Amino acid sequence: MNSAPVIEVTELKKHFPVRKGFLRRKIGQVLAVDGVSFAIAAGETLGLVGESGCGKSTLARAVLRLIEPTSGAIRLEGHDITALSKAALRPYRREMQIIFQDPFSSLNPRMAVGDIVGEPLQVHDMGDVRERKLRVAALFAQVGLGAAQLGSFPHEFSGGQRQRICIARALALNPKLIVADEPVSALDVSVRAQVINLMMDLQQERDLSYLFITHDLAVVGHISHRIAVMYLGKIVEYADKAALLRNPLHPYTEALLAAVPVPDPRMKRKKRHLQGDIPSPINPPPGCAFHPRCPYAETRCKREAPRLTEVAPGHLVSCHRHEAATRSVQP
């Protein structure tokens, strides 16, 4: 695995204004993503986990410039793409692709799937008509579909097959980074493993980098090299997969791991039930955003927000219980 980062994100923020009244005055803002930093090397998968509403999908779209970030920096292979115009960003679009959560709604029902997969090639003017058809047929074979299915429409495929079509479309331009936004959550359990294994095989063949977004730690533990845990727009823990699954340090990570089902009925696992729902990103609680639900919360947690602190090599956590371990750093 190459250590040079394909993508570097530094202090990325995305705040949405809240407006009210006839004149649409701004009365607040939604802190959807609030200062997130990470880097992904070539051939590496960073798993991003958290509850629904924590800002994972917003972060994915901001990284790809599908929505404009409020502040921060995005570097693709060392090139700052944060403020590029649409025309200047166009060559970099080829290097970054996305796989959406729902394969059916992300495919045009009026287009044959062969045309859907070939559309990126046409948009970026890559090859002639014959070369595009050969490329699309090769992509279909690579994701386990047949050339005879090129003329079929999305409704004629199963959920797993539709997601394979979405993967083929994402691969069409030979990208270096693929953002997978909960790509298996809409699929049957039996199909999930097939799609995940396909993505892992493609990663080895093409040296792809993945930002894999999910709320399922069991899935992310299978495919990821490193894991970032997100809560209310911020990363609260960031570590190597083995270190995080073996020794979670943030109370939120502990609760997520405790919720993962154990296949052995004889094995008992201590339950850590979180109290209440995730707070509103419009009006987050003072201090540590997790303190209203944390079983270890102290007076300091209600007043002072913890910093993301490295407590072991490569293992960062945002929690006052571990803050004194060493200096504050960013991943």
Side-chain angles (χ1 to χ4, degrees):
M1 191 187 302
N2 191 340
S3 59
V6 169
I7 188 84
E8 288 180 278
V9 175
T10 307
E11 284 296 316
L12 192 69
K13 296 183 180 182
K14 179 57 184 178
H15 299 168
F16 295 97
V18 178
R19 302 185 185 278
K20 188 177 181 181
F22 179 75
L23 298 177
R24 308 302 295 164
R25 290 192 178 95
K26 180 180 175 181
I27 61 169
Q29 55 186 355
V30 178
L31 309 181
V33 178
D34 197 27
V36 169
S37 300
F38 61 83
I40 307 175
E44 182 185 33
T45 299
L46 175 65
L48 184 65
V49 299
E51 291 173 286
S52 297
C54 72
K56 304 186 301 296
S57 295
T58 302
L59 174 61
R61 284 158 175 76
V63 167
L64 297 175
R65 291 278 311 275
L66 297 178
I67 57 175
E68 294 302 320
T70 303
S71 64
I74 307 164
R75 291 181 178 85
L76 182 68
E77 295 189 305
H79 302 283
D80 192 337
I81 64 169
T82 317
L84 293 181
S85 66
K86 289 184 178 180
L89 186 63
R90 187 179 176 88
Y92 297 100
R93 292 285 190 200
R94 302 179 187 179
E95 308 297 332
M96 308 181 297
Q97 293 295 310
I98 186 169
I99 302 170
F100 293 100
Q101 177 178 354
D102 184 356
F104 190 71
S105 63
S106 61
L107 298 173
N108 188 335
R110 294 181 175 85
M111 290 178 67
V113 293
D115 295 332
I116 290 173
V117 174
E119 189 175 27
L121 300 171
Q122 183 177 357
V123 168
H124 288 272
D125 196 26
M126 298 178 66
D128 56 28
V129 174
R130 179 179 174 278
E131 289 171 339
R132 290 172 193 161
K133 287 183 177 179
L134 291 174
R135 171 71 174 153
V136 171
L139 286 167
F140 263 57
Q142 197 164 19
V143 299
L145 297 172
Q149 298 171 292
L150 290 171
S152 301
F153 288 83
H155 72 272
E156 300 179 70
F157 294 87
S158 67
Q161 288 175 320
R162 284 195 287 263
Q163 198 60 290
R164 288 172 185 266
I165 294 165
C166 293
I167 292 171
R169 178 176 60 184
L171 293 172
L173 298 173
N174 285 321
K176 291 185 171 63
L177 171 71
I178 291 181
V179 175
D181 187 6
E182 304 214 33
V184 296
S185 63
L187 305 179
D188 293 338
V189 175
S190 59
V191 180
R192 291 184 187 182
Q194 298 174 18
V195 173
I196 290 171
N197 289 334
L198 171 64
M199 292 182 67
M200 293 175 71
D201 291 341
L202 291 169
Q203 183 176 48
Q204 290 185 344
E205 293 172 15
R206 294 168 169 259
D207 203 28
L208 290 168
S209 300
Y210 290 141
L211 175 59
F212 193 95
I213 297 171
T214 182
H215 59 271
D216 190 339
L217 268 170
V219 171
V220 83
H222 181 66
I223 193 173
S224 300
H225 298 96
R226 287 181 297 134
I227 299 175
V229 180
M230 194 169 181
Y231 186 79
L232 210 66
K234 297 179 181 289
I235 289 178
V236 297
E237 189 163 3
Y238 184 98
D240 175 81
K241 171 181 68 176
L244 187 137
L245 297 179
R246 182 180 63 250
N247 183 32
L249 298 179
H250 198 281
Y252 181 58
T253 312
E254 292 179 3
L256 291 178
L257 279 171
V260 177
V262 179
D264 187 350
R266 295 168 296 180
M267 184 179 294
K268 301 296 181 182
R269 175 179 282 176
K270 185 179 178 181
K271 296 292 183 181
R272 292 180 176 86
H273 296 291
L274 293 179
Q275 300 298 319
D277 297 322
I278 187 169
S280 169
I282 300 176
N283 186 26
C288 175
F290 188 65
H291 86 258
R293 309 172 72 190
C294 180
Y296 312 111
E298 301 175 352
T299 303
R300 182 187 181 191
C301 303
K302 301 176 183 179
R303 299 193 311 260
E304 183 182 342
R307 296 172 295 176
L308 197 59
T309 303
E310 188 174 37
V311 297
H315 196 150
L316 292 86
V317 64
S318 177
C319 182
H320 288 309
R321 292 192 302 154
H322 307 284
E323 201 172 57
T326 185
R327 61 188 177 85
S328 176
V329 298
Q330 289 291 345

